[in-house]
Amino acid sequence: MNDSALPFVSWLSQAVNQVEISLQQQLPTEDVLPGVLHEAMRYAVLGPGKRVRAALVYAAGLACAPHGRLDATQLKSLSLAASAVELIHAYSLVHDDLPCMDDDDMRRGRPTCHIQYGEAMALLAADALQPLAFQQLAQMPISPALIVQSIHVLSKAAGSLGMVGGQVIDVANVGNLLELSQLQQMHRMKTGAMIEGSVVLGAIALGANSEVRQSLDTYAAAIGLAFQVVDDILDVTADSQALGKTAGKDAQANKPTYVSIMGLDASRKFAEDLYQKAVDALLPLGQSAQRLRELADFIIRRHY
């Protein structure tokens, strides 16, 4: 994690491995009652995934670390914060896939949780993942004041003013033609809030000052919105095998997207503009923000 000369793909693999080790340790095992619930929780969380939010936690931490190096205590804090955002993300995906929401039967190239375990167990597994996320933050070896800040950031990002609120706007506007500003507001909440929260959690875990936090906030807001723009583009340009989920679902459900409002070429241009805004925000941080720049590039150029 500390080797700045390591190729990005290798560093990202390390970050993914680091958070998955943490998740393996923190998730209850199937031999602990109620076993089927814990099995469903692990299925929802430990399947294949990009772990972009977790990687953003680590990259933000590196950007705030003295000389760009993490000690063992700092790495533990970041791993717990990264686990927390992945648990929240996994719970949201389980809920999104339910018949009452997006009604999808494939996620990350596998049957969705409710297909595998039934709707009731999937719902309960997702419910159990949410409090487990906050348990991760409570275990971070940082000051109590910073733990409280972390809990505040994640709860706001995941709640009615963030991810859940954005999902409500999404559900309420199926079939409606939104203005671009309305679509951006929805996605800042639905997708962007958790991505922004991931970056902020990495900064909090390392005790970043307000000047560094400002640069990271600007970066996170831009790249969080760009993430959703790219998702909308991929929904119409990629196939289901590449995505690991059903392609074309947004169009089938008549949901407003950047592509449906702006068109494909304008959406690609918008994503590039957001990418540039994100990397420009990192200029004051110099080489310490290398991994954040690489993640911005990964988010914009990805094919799944």
Side-chain angles (χ1 to χ4, degrees):
M1 294 292 293
N2 284 320
D3 188 353
S4 61
L6 200 65
F8 171 70
V9 173
S10 299
W11 176 85
L12 182 60
S13 179
Q14 280 191 2
V16 170
N17 184 61
Q18 192 76 38
V19 75
E20 289 186 349
I21 289 171
S22 180
L23 289 166
Q24 286 274 8
Q25 293 171 343
Q26 298 296 327
L27 282 160
T29 57
E30 298 92 329
D31 59 351
V32 177
L33 290 174
V36 66
L37 174 66
H38 296 149
E39 183 181 332
M41 290 167 66
R42 295 178 75 86
Y43 181 88
V45 175
L46 297 175
K50 294 184 288 292
R51 307 292 188 202
V52 169
R53 291 155 188 80
L56 284 167
V57 174
Y58 288 118
L62 280 168
C64 302
H67 312 297
R69 299 192 65 81
L70 303 169
D71 62 31
T73 300
Q74 291 168 333
L75 183 57
K76 181 177 181 180
S77 294
L78 291 172
S79 292
L80 288 166
S83 297
V85 298
E86 286 296 326
L87 289 167
I88 292 289
H89 182 53
Y91 118 74
S92 74
L93 297 182
V94 174
H95 279 190
D96 281 354
D97 292 335
L98 288 170
C100 63
M101 297 287 283
D102 288 348
D103 191 16
D104 216 332
D105 59 5
M106 186 170 71
R107 170 70 66 179
R108 294 173 171 172
R110 308 188 305 172
T112 50
C113 195
H114 71 273
I115 295 294
Q116 191 76 8
Y117 292 96
E119 289 181 40
M121 193 55 61
L123 182 66
L124 291 167
D127 289 347
L129 292 175
Q130 187 174 180
L132 185 60
F134 293 98
Q135 185 178 327
Q136 307 310 295
L137 298 183
Q139 296 179 66
M140 290 193 297
I142 57 179
S143 73
L146 291 178
I147 289 175
V148 171
Q149 281 189 40
S150 299
I151 290 171
H152 173 76
V153 165
L154 186 58
S155 58
K156 184 177 180 181
S160 65
L161 300 178
M163 180 183 69
V164 174
Q167 186 68 56
V168 169
I169 297 171
D170 190 15
V171 169
N173 283 284
V174 172
N176 294 338
L177 184 61
L178 296 180
E179 298 288 336
L180 182 59
S181 60
Q182 294 173 308
L183 186 68
Q184 288 182 18
Q185 178 62 32
M186 177 180 79
H187 285 145
R188 282 194 180 99
M189 296 168 69
K190 180 185 174 185
T191 304
M194 280 299 297
I195 289 178
E196 291 179 47
S198 300
V199 174
V200 174
L201 284 174
I204 292 172
L206 268 288
N209 63 39
S210 58
E211 185 177 350
V212 171
R213 288 275 296 270
Q214 182 59 54
S215 293
L216 294 178
D217 286 348
T218 303
Y219 164 88
I223 209 62
L225 194 54
F227 190 98
Q228 184 61 53
V229 179
V230 173
D231 259 8
D232 286 359
I233 292 168
L234 291 175
D235 191 63
V236 299
T237 60
D239 59 31
S240 298
Q241 184 174 0
L243 289 177
K245 59 183 179 180
T246 308
K249 287 285 288 186
D250 291 339
Q252 293 170 21
N254 201 22
K255 285 187 173 185
T257 67
Y258 288 98
V259 175
S260 69
I261 291 176
M262 302 176 68
L264 185 58
D265 289 343
S267 296
R268 285 173 168 152
K269 174 65 164 56
F270 186 41
E272 287 289 344
D273 291 345
L274 289 167
Y275 163 78
Q276 193 60 52
K277 182 177 181 180
V279 296
D280 286 350
L282 298 175
L283 288 173
L285 303 184
Q287 187 60 25
S288 65
Q290 171 190 345
R291 299 306 183 188
L292 286 172
R293 293 186 188 90
E294 291 168 339
L295 277 167
D297 190 72
F298 172 78
I299 287 168
I300 293 296
R301 316 293 175 209
R302 65 195 166 96
H303 301 291
Y304 61 98

